[in-house]
Amino acid sequence: MRATPARIAVLDAVRQASAPLTHGELTRQLDGNGWDAATIYRNLVAITDANLIVRTDHGDRRWRFEDRARSASKTEHQHPHFLCTDCGSVSCLPEVEVRLPRAQGLPRSAAEGAFDVQLRGVCDSCSD
Ligand SMILES: [Zn+2]
Ligand SMILES: [Zn+2]
């Protein structure tokens, strides 16, 4: 992958963020550099394809992008994220280990720990 100024800026912005960012948030953040939303999107896809960042899905139909180094732990399990159902903000949570008991209907892989944990609720600023 060629390191163009736009790619470096997009990658830096994702790496410096404390939570996964949407394409819109990145576009706003990089506003003023002369790149339009389509350019930023193309670069996001290229960096994701190069495996430097990961696309995260929080069940709100908006893709977000996060630094791969932060996203993958030693065991390859992602840390959980909290989605506020009120304002739509997403935050990273410390890694927690969640174990599911073997139960009927639970896929074997999930019983072995291969699943994502997604928390949905109301964030502190919205619950005040
Ligand atoms: Zn909120
Ligand atoms: Zn995260």
Side-chain angles (χ1 to χ4, degrees):
M1 190 176 71
R2 264 181 333 121
T4 62
R7 272 180 199 168
I8 294 167
V10 168
L11 184 57
D12 277 354
V14 172
R15 286 198 164 149
Q16 279 158 26
S18 59
L21 294 174
T22 62
H23 168 231
E25 286 164 345
L26 270 166
T27 304
R28 277 193 297 280
Q29 203 175 313
L30 297 174
D31 194 24
N33 288 295
W35 304 309
D36 58 11
T39 303
I40 289 171
Y41 189 73
R42 250 194 340 270
N43 282 291
L44 263 178
V45 171
I47 299 166
T48 307
D49 287 348
N51 242 348
L52 295 171
I53 58 177
V54 290
R55 219 160 55 155
T56 60
D57 176 7
H58 306 281
D60 61 349
R61 298 187 190 146
R62 295 171 81 189
W63 288 110
R64 287 177 178 78
F65 299 85
E66 177 166 60
D67 185 12
R68 168 169 289 284
R70 183 146 44 94
S71 174
S73 74
K74 290 182 194 94
T75 55
E76 285 297 318
H77 292 165
Q78 291 195 2
H79 57 257
H81 290 101
F82 184 91
L83 171 76
C84 175
T85 51
D86 212 344
C87 67
S89 68
V90 169
S91 44
C92 298
L93 298 178
E95 274 182 47
V96 290
E97 195 176 1
V98 177
R99 286 188 179 279
L100 293 174
R102 276 181 201 279
Q104 204 175 0
L106 182 71
R108 215 167 29 245
S109 61
E112 286 161 3
F115 56 86
D116 292 337
V117 177
Q118 298 283 358
L119 295 168
R120 294 162 72 92
V122 178
C123 77
D124 285 350
S125 1
C126 291
S127 63
D128 284 343

